[in-house]
Amino acid sequence: MSSMRQLLVHPSCEDLSLPTILYALGDPLRLRMVARLATGHDSDEKMACQDFLACEAVAKSTLSFHFKVLREAGLVRMVPQGRRVLVLLRREDLEARFPGVLEAVLSAYQKSITEKTR
Amino acid sequence: MSSMRQLLVHPSCEDLSLPTILYALGDPLRLRMVARLATGHDSDEKMACQDFLACEAVAKSTLSFHFKVLREAGLVRMVPQGRRVLVLLRREDLEARFPGVLEAVLSAYQKSITEKTR
């Protein structure tokens, strides 16, 4: 996903918009991607873009598109690191601007997943 | 808005979907409509469709479209009453399925409005 590197613009914390955040979370795949990051591989809540390909049965271009929506909304930060691009959840920025929203959404997501698999 | 009456289908509480709810809230006008209902005219959190026309500088057809999105997502219930259609926030259903989500979104919305007008 090296083509992403040219466009890694991130909105500042002050520029985050609540409807834009909700819109970005309002897609099943993107919501799953954010939940995966939040409960992710390591305690830093970051994953390499490539790792998502192993988790999701979607094309690389589809993932790239959804990463872009998440990044432009301000939900994730994307940081090139060597040949990889790391994705980090912007939990603190989101909590500062919209207290409790991400937490409530992630809890409700986990609850809905648990109910489904019961 | 009598043309609405033919189509007043509402998803059951069990059929509510988290991404669909977030998508419905992920539009500035719809978010404002929901916030208006939540802090609305009376303690029942219901308003007549017509009342929104007085609040929002948008066409009737635009409001009808957004009411439809909100209703189909399960955020509002629309009840014909005489010549009017009442809109009610489905706060209890939402709280039962996705605890804390609507509350957090409404609080964050109020906070962002307060910050803007400061």
Side-chain angles (χ1 to χ4, degrees), chain A residues 15-26:
Chain A
D15 287 338
L16 299 184
S17 139
L18 183 58
T20 307
I21 292 289
L22 297 172
Y23 172 84
L25 291 168

Side-chain angles (χ1 to χ4, degrees), chain A residues 18-19 22-23 25-28 31 96-101 104-105 108-109 111 115, chain B residues 18-19 22-23 25-28 31 96-101 104-105 108-109 111 115:
Chain A
L18 183 58
L22 297 172
Y23 172 84
L25 291 168
D27 172 272
L31 184 56
R97 283 299 310 280
F98 312 118
V101 171
V105 167
Y109 176 78
K111 178 173 173 282
E115 283 169 355
Chain B
L18 184 59
L22 297 171
Y23 172 83
L25 291 169
D27 172 271
L31 184 55
R97 282 300 309 280
F98 312 118
V101 170
V105 168
Y109 175 79
K111 179 174 173 282
E115 283 169 357

Side-chain angles (χ1 to χ4, degrees), chain A residues 59-78:
Chain A
K60 199 165 148 174
S61 58
T62 305
L63 271 191
S64 293
F65 166 74
H66 288 298
F67 276 129
K68 183 169 177 282
V69 175
L70 291 174
R71 175 175 54 75
E72 289 181 346
L75 275 154
V76 303
R77 195 172 291 282
M78 298 179 70

Side-chain angles (χ1 to χ4, degrees), chain A residues 11-50:
Chain A
S12 70
C13 186
E14 297 73 41
D15 287 338
L16 299 184
S17 139
L18 183 58
T20 307
I21 292 289
L22 297 172
Y23 172 84
L25 291 168
D27 172 272
L29 175 55
R30 288 199 295 269
L31 184 56
R32 202 160 61 232
M33 288 163 76
V34 168
R36 209 181 282 287
L37 265 180
T39 57
H41 283 191
D42 61 31
S43 54
D44 288 344
E45 298 189 333
K46 63 171 178 261
M47 281 173 77
C49 283
Q50 291 95 321

